Amino acid sequence: MTDRHFTDADAELTRRIGIINGHDDFPIIMAKQRFDGVYDSLRTYWLPQFRAGGVSAVVGAIFTPSVYVPEGALRHALWVLDGLLTEIEENRDAIEIAGSAAELRRINDAGKIAVLVALEGAEPLGQDLAALRLLHRLGLRMVSLTHARRTLFADGNWENETHGGLSRAGRAAIKEMNRLGIIVDVSHGSDRTTRDILETSVKPVIASHSNARALQDNLRNVTDEMIRAIAAAGGLVGMVAVPNFVARGDPTIGRWADHVEHVVEISGIDHVGIGTDFFHYGWQLGAAPGIAESDAGPRQGYVRSEFTGMQSPADLPGLTAELRSRGFSEAALRKVYRENFLRVLSAVADGTPA
């Protein structure tokens, strides 16, 4: 944890609300820890981090490094998922997999942390949707069809200049995800892919970890037009704590909060969430060499993934402190941190109106 940028009261309020973090790469980092012979990091590191930061539920994302594409994508995803499910089972007194909003609430009511499984990039699905249905049975509840690169299903933000979007396979995948109750995530999609998904899905969609492009011109961020369309579909935009998506130069918690306020101004308070995408600890452990791509092409050494006061789940009360200083009430924070995501999950996985 960095030097605290919050008070005990901020931390207590954050824990009382219970943040639902819509995007965290911790399953990938756990996989690296297990590869290195550490088989209890969920208990010794991650659970304390989540509790300290007031995280009541977290979407655990599984992405596919380029070295595994295409033949090893499913094998890699299953290896990561197996490690995650194994450690969750070993700590079932403290954490469980959630498959619906009702299950998430039950888990939280029991004093436990809930985990939803996500695919960040659909490469593990191969050439058809059988793997999608099987992974759904193992807890999969969110999918982004691309992680920057072009896939069978859609073009990612790397391909934005080609103006490609959903393929026929991608449209079939959206239809099946709607049927199964899997949230469609547009983060990492090209602009055309994002528009195509919003036109195709009959359920709310989210941008799980994207900021406002009007404040930081990065293709990983969403335009005001996209924000309005996501809101009109009943979805949300999850604010991401990655420096390049927050601001040029010197990102701060305050400049991150600017994105929260901008999306609230554009879409209303009901369509904003949190999706931190923390990876600083992964870099420290050497998990990053398994990532063969970034949003600007192949990575050349360390890519900054933290900023002052915000590098891990335990730092999240710092955002609470900043938003409170701007007049956000506890009721407003509950929407941003928890209730908006629960509404989307309920609409998609539980079948209730958005």
Side-chain angles (χ1 to χ4, degrees), residues 175-193:
K175 181 177 180 180
E176 186 68 347
M177 289 161 65
N178 285 168
R179 185 187 73 82
L180 291 170
I182 297 173
I183 298 171
V184 183
D185 180 8
V186 301
S187 286
H188 284 288
S190 70
D191 289 357
R192 176 65 182 272
T193 290

Side-chain angles (χ1 to χ4, degrees), residues 173-230:
I174 298 296
K175 181 177 180 180
E176 186 68 347
M177 289 161 65
N178 285 168
R179 185 187 73 82
L180 291 170
I182 297 173
I183 298 171
V184 183
D185 180 8
V186 301
S187 286
H188 284 288
S190 70
D191 289 357
R192 176 65 182 272
T193 290
T194 298
R195 290 192 292 268
D196 286 351
I197 287 173
L198 285 163
E199 292 173 0
T200 302
S201 179
V202 298
K203 299 283 185 72
V205 306
I206 74 170
S208 68
H209 55 305
S210 297
N211 288 331
R213 199 179 299 179
L215 300 188
Q216 169 64 344
D217 188 11
N218 188 301
L219 290 174
R220 275 281 289 101
N221 290 337
V222 286
T223 66
D224 288 356
E225 175 191 7
M226 293 172 188
I227 293 168
R228 293 188 186 97
I230 289 168

Side-chain angles (χ1 to χ4, degrees), residues 267-316:
S267 69
I269 193 69
D270 294 331
H271 302 286
V272 187
I274 301 297
T276 59
D277 200 15
F278 290 128
F279 207 81
H280 179 69
Y281 189 53
W283 281 107
Q284 290 180 318
L285 294 179
I291 310 172
E293 73 282 342
S294 75
D295 296 295
R299 295 182 191 249
Q300 301 295 328
Y302 174 72
V303 176
R304 188 179 175 198
S305 58
E306 79 291 337
F307 51 88
T308 301
M310 195 60 59
Q311 68 179 34
S312 74
D315 295 322
L316 282 167

Side-chain angles (χ1 to χ4, degrees), residues 57-94:
V58 57
V59 177
I62 300 172
F63 62 79
T64 306
S66 292
V67 69
Y68 293 102
V69 178
E71 294 87 353
L74 180 58
R75 181 176 179 180
H76 174 266
L78 292 175
W79 172 62
V80 174
L81 182 57
D82 174 66
L84 175 65
L85 296 179
T86 296
E87 293 201 34
I88 288 175
E89 176 62 23
E90 291 169 351
N91 293 276
R92 57 187 177 277
D93 60 325

Side-chain angles (χ1 to χ4, degrees), residues 162-176:
T162 67
H163 306 292
L166 281 181
S167 64
R168 285 190 293 270
R171 294 180 188 280
I174 298 296
K175 181 177 180 180
E176 186 68 347

